[in-house]
Amino acid sequence: MTLTDLLPADPDPDALFEAFTTWTAERGIELYPAQEEAVMEVVSGSNVILSTPTGSGKSLVAVGAHFTALAQGRRSYYTAPIKALVSEKFFQLIEIFGADNVGMMTGDSSVNPDAPIICCTAEILANIALRFGADAPVGQVVADEFHFYSEPDRGWAWQVPILELPKAQFVLMSATLGDVSFFEKDLTRRTGRPTAVVTSVQRPVPLTFRYALTPLHETMSELLNGGQAPVYVVHFSQAAAIERAQTLMSINVTTKAEKEAIAELIGDFRFAAGFGKTLSRLVRHGIGVHHAGMLPKYRRLVETLAQSGLLKVICGTDTLGVGINVPIRTVVFSALTKYDGVRQRHLKAREFHQIAGRAGRAGYDTDGYVVVQAPDHVVENAKALEKAGDDPKKKKKIVRKKAPEGFVNWTESTFDRLIAAEPEPLTSSFKVTHSMLLNVISRPGNAFASMRHLLEDNHEDRASQRKLILRAIAIYRALLAAGVVERLPEPDEQGRIIRLTVDLQFDFALNQPLSPFALAAIDLFDLESPSYPLDVVSTVEATVDNPRPVLSQQQFKARGEAVNAMKAEGIEYDERMELLENVSYPKPLEELLQGAFHSYRQGHPWVDDYELSPKSVVRDMYERAMNFVEYIGFYQLARSEGLVLRYLADVYDALRHTVPDEAKTEPLQDLIEWLGELVRQVDSSLLDEWEALRHPGEEGQVEVRQPAVPAGVTRNERAFRVLVRNELFRRVELFGRRAWNVLGELDAASGWDAEAWQDAIEGYFEEYETLGTGPDARGPALIIIEQEPDVWKVRQIFDDPAGDHDWGISAEVDLAASDEAGSAVVHVTEVGAH
C-alpha cells in the first residue's frame, strides 16, 4: 500500500494528520515531538521552518508535506542542492507515492514532469519562479539543505522562490539554520500564511564529545575495541583520506568471519587497475574510502558494505555533510581547519555541526560520538609529559615540539567553542543575470514592474540593491541593442510592454547553457574533413564545465615536456621560466571558437553569463588511443577518477543530444559510440540512470539497474571496432616515436618484447624516413578486420611517405578476454611488410 491509498476524501487538517500518522504507525514509526509539531503545522496550512539536528526525521516531515499538497490538489516541489540527492529522493518518493505521482527535473534529465510531486535542483525551481512569477503552478515548496541559501554562487536559487511565489506554502529544512527570525517574518509577509518555526536541540541519539590527545592509531583502536564503530574519519583533502586509510591497515579492524562476509558481498565486482586495486585491499580489510572524486560504483560499494555493518572504518572528506548515505556511529575529525580555496582557516560552526551531526544512527545507536584529534605536535608533547610522569626534573628537560611554520592551530578551546556555537546567520547571495531578465521578460505582464519587485524587495541591503539595479539596466540595454527584446508601442493582450524576439527553450540556462552556441558552431566545419569528428568533439568540450584536476595535470605535463625541450636547446633558466608562463593545457580550435563565440554573443548577449573554455580531454584520450585506466595513469589522476568519468559522460550526453542527426557522420557516430562504451565499461551506472529516466517502463515505472559488472564490451560491435582500432593505432604512434620499451611492456605476453619491437622499428626506418600518424593514418581505410566467432584478425597498415602501404601490424583480438576485461584485448602476431 502506498501513502496515496490513504488520501482522505475530505482533506481537512484533522483527516490529513490522522491518515499520515496511520501510515507511519503501520510502519512502526513513532513521530518525535518536533516531527509531530511540524506535520500538524503543515496540514494546517502554515509555512514551516524546520531546524532540528541531523537524524531527527526531517525527511519524514517532507513526506507529510507532499502528502498534504497531493490531498489538496496542489503541486509540490522538493528541492536539494545536488543532483545525486534529488535522484535519491525521487526514487524514495516513488516507493511512497507511486511512480505516476512523482517526477524529476535536474537539467540533465526530466521524467514525468507533469506529476503532482516534482523533485528538482534548486535552480530548476528558481527558473520556474522567474518564468511564471506568482502564477507559477507551484502550490508547495519543500527546500532541503536550506543553509545553501548563503552559498555565494548558488544562494540566489534558494532566495528567488521566496520572492516570486507568494501563493506557495514553504517548508524550509536544515540541521544548521541558525537564527531564522528574519525568514519567519519575511515568509509571513510575502505569503500571508502564518510561519511556524519548529526547532529542537534534543537529538534522537545524543552525542558525546571528546578531544583526543592520543595518536590517531591509538584513538581508532580505543573506538573499535569500545564498540563505537562504524567510525567515519573526516579529512579535508582526498589525498589525506586515502593516505590515512592505508596507514590504518596496520590495525586489526575485522574478524576472519567478517572478512569472508565482505568477500562474499563483493562477489565478482570489477575493480579496475590503479585506485580500484587499492580500494579492493582496503575494503577487504574492513576499511572504506569515500570522497567525491571516486567512481560512483566505488562509492556505492563502500555505502553498501557500510550499510551491511561490514566496514568498521571509513576515511573520507567532509562530503558526508551533504546527505551521504552511510551509517555512522562515531565521527572523528582529523583537524578543525580546512583550506577554502583562498586560505587555511578554522571550521565555521555550521560546517562543524553539519559534519558532527552525522554521528549516531536513529533506530540503531543509543549514543553517537564525536572525537576531535589534537594536532600532531600537541599529541607528541602530551605523550612526552605522560612519559615524564610526576618527576619535575624530567618535565623541565622536555623540549616541547612547536607547530610547523604556517600551521593554523586548533586547541581544545577551539573544539569547545564550536560545540557551543550556534550556526552563523544565513546571509543573502542574490545576483542578477541575463537569464533572470529573459525569464522575467518572457512571462505575461509588465516586466519592468516584475523586475523592480525582484530588485527592490530582495534580501540584500540597499547599497547592494543599487548595484543590482545598475547591473540589470546594463543587461537590459545589451538585450535591446542585440534585438533579443523589443519595446512595444502599447501593451499586448497579455499586458507585456517588452517582449522576446526569440524562442527561449525552457532549460536554456540549466543544461549546458552554451549548447545552442555549439550547435551553431558545428556549421563552421566541413563534414568531409578527416578532422571533422574531433573538431565537433572540441566544440562540445569547450561548452562543458572544466574538469580542473585534469587540466592542471595536463598543464603540469606540458610544462615538464617544454622544460626538457628548452634544456635540450640550451635556453637559460630565467628565459625558460618566462617562456613557461605561456605553456598551458591543450586548447584545440581556441582561436576559431573564441572568434565564433564573439560573433555569436552579439545576437545572444545572455551567453555573457557563461565562459567558453576550449580544452581537450575526450579528444586527447582519443588521439592518444588510450583507454580510461591508461589515461588516468598517464596523468596521475587516481584520486579524481569519478570527476573524469562524470566529465566524459557529460560530453557523451552533450554529443548525443546537441549534435543534430544530419551532422552525425559515420566517423563521428563511431566516436560517439566509442565514448559511450568507454564510460559504460568503467561504470555503467551514470548512463543506466540516464536511460532509465529518459525511457521509463510502460507504466511509467523507473528502474535503475546498477550492475557491478557491465554487459560485455563486444556486444556493441560499432564501439568495439573503434576500441580495436585505437589499440592498434596506439602501437602505430609508439612505433613512430621509436618507443620500443613501451611497446615491449604492452606486448611482451604476446612474444613481442622491447628487443623484437626494436628490430621491427629499425627495419621500417631503414626503408622510410617518416611514419604518418595524422587523421588519414588512423582512418578506417588503413585497417582490415576479419571477424570470426571467437577472434578477430586485424591488420593495421602503416601510412608510409611513399604510399606503398606494405608495412603494418597484424594482431588477433580475443573476444572472450575482451568482455572480461571491458576493453579490447589484442595479441600482436606480426610486424613487418606484406
Side-chain angles (χ1 to χ4, degrees), residues 555 557-560 562 566 578-585:
Q555 178 169 289
K557 187 171 281 288
R559 289 186 171 179
M566 285 187 274
E578 187 176 335
L579 291 171
L580 273 182
E581 291 299 316
N582 298 318
V583 177
S584 183
Y585 53 85

Side-chain angles (χ1 to χ4, degrees), residues 380-685:
E380 289 188 36
N381 291 336
K383 204 162 190 178
L385 281 169
E386 184 183 358
K387 191 174 181 181
D390 296 328
D391 189 332
K393 291 182 179 179
K394 288 183 179 179
K395 284 184 177 181
K396 194 172 182 180
K397 289 180 180 179
I398 292 172
V399 179
R400 292 180 181 273
K401 191 161 186 177
K402 295 182 179 179
E405 189 176 347
F407 182 77
V408 177
N409 197 28
W410 69 91
T411 64
E412 189 166 5
S413 63
T414 312
F415 181 37
D416 292 337
R417 176 182 58 79
L418 285 170
I419 294 171
E422 288 290 319
E424 297 80 5
L426 298 176
T427 54
S428 173
S429 299
F430 195 74
K431 64 180 181 180
V432 176
T433 62
H434 289 77
S435 58
M436 177 179 285
L437 261 73
L438 288 167
N439 271 317
V440 171
I441 292 170
S442 70
R443 73 165 81 150
N446 185 328
F448 289 115
S450 298
M451 278 308 301
R452 184 179 299 113
H453 163 72
L454 267 173
L455 296 169
E456 296 184 351
D457 193 21
N458 54 51
H459 298 163
E460 297 286 323
D461 60 37
R462 189 57 188 158
S464 298
Q465 287 178 352
R466 279 194 288 269
K467 292 178 182 177
L468 292 171
I469 290 168
L470 292 175
R471 164 79 172 151
I473 291 171
I475 292 173
Y476 170 68
R477 286 174 177 167
L479 294 172
L480 202 62
V484 177
V485 301
E486 64 179 3
R487 290 290 302 262
L488 299 175
E490 58 183 43
D492 66 11
E493 64 277 4
Q494 292 185 308
R496 293 187 181 92
I497 57 175
I498 53 173
R499 69 180 178 191
L500 297 178
T501 61
V502 295
D503 289 331
L504 201 64
Q505 72 269 28
F506 174 73
D507 58 354
F508 85 102
L510 300 172
N511 182 22
Q512 307 305 354
L514 294 183
S515 290
F517 163 73
L519 184 60
I522 288 170
D523 289 338
L524 298 172
F525 305 118
D526 177 8
L527 273 71
E528 302 302 320
S529 169
S531 66
Y532 173 78
L534 290 174
D535 290 344
V536 172
V537 168
S538 292
T539 301
V540 169
E541 285 201 78
T543 66
V544 298
D545 291 340
N546 284 345
R548 297 196 182 280
V550 186
L551 304 187
S552 176
Q553 286 299 99
Q554 285 181 332
Q555 178 169 289
F556 178 78
K557 187 171 281 288
R559 289 186 171 179
E561 292 170 354
V563 165
N564 292 335
M566 285 187 274
K567 283 181 179 178
E569 293 176 25
I571 298 174
E572 293 297 322
Y573 175 82
D574 289 340
E575 188 179 353
R576 290 202 307 266
M577 292 302 98
E578 187 176 335
L579 291 171
L580 273 182
E581 291 299 316
N582 298 318
V583 177
S584 183
Y585 53 85
K587 300 176 182 179
L589 308 178
E590 181 179 24
E591 190 174 335
L592 183 147
L593 289 173
Q594 291 291 7
F597 189 62
H598 178 74
S599 299
Y600 184 82
R601 192 165 47 201
Q602 306 308 309
H604 308 78
W606 61 81
V607 299
D608 273 337
D609 292 340
Y610 312 100
E611 184 179 351
L612 191 73
S613 178
K615 52 190 167 291
S616 179
V617 177
V618 173
R619 181 171 187 154
D620 186 40
M621 185 181 291
Y622 187 82
E623 288 184 323
R624 292 183 186 277
M626 287 181 171
N627 60 34
F628 185 82
V629 172
E630 290 166 342
Y631 197 77
I632 292 295
F634 183 73
Y635 284 114
Q636 298 181 339
L637 292 163
R639 293 199 303 270
S640 302
E641 285 181 327
L643 180 145
V644 177
L645 185 73
R646 169 63 71 177
Y647 175 85
L648 299 179
D650 284 346
V651 175
Y652 170 63
D653 197 52
L655 283 167
R656 285 202 302 167
H657 296 101
T658 297
V659 182
D661 289 342
E662 60 271 18
K664 290 178 181 172
T665 61
E666 286 291 313
L668 177 56
Q669 191 63 53
D670 286 347
L671 193 152
I672 294 171
E673 289 288 330
W674 160 78
L675 181 58
E677 194 59 36
L678 183 147
V679 171
R680 189 171 283 108
Q681 290 300 318
V682 174
D683 188 339
S684 63
S685 60

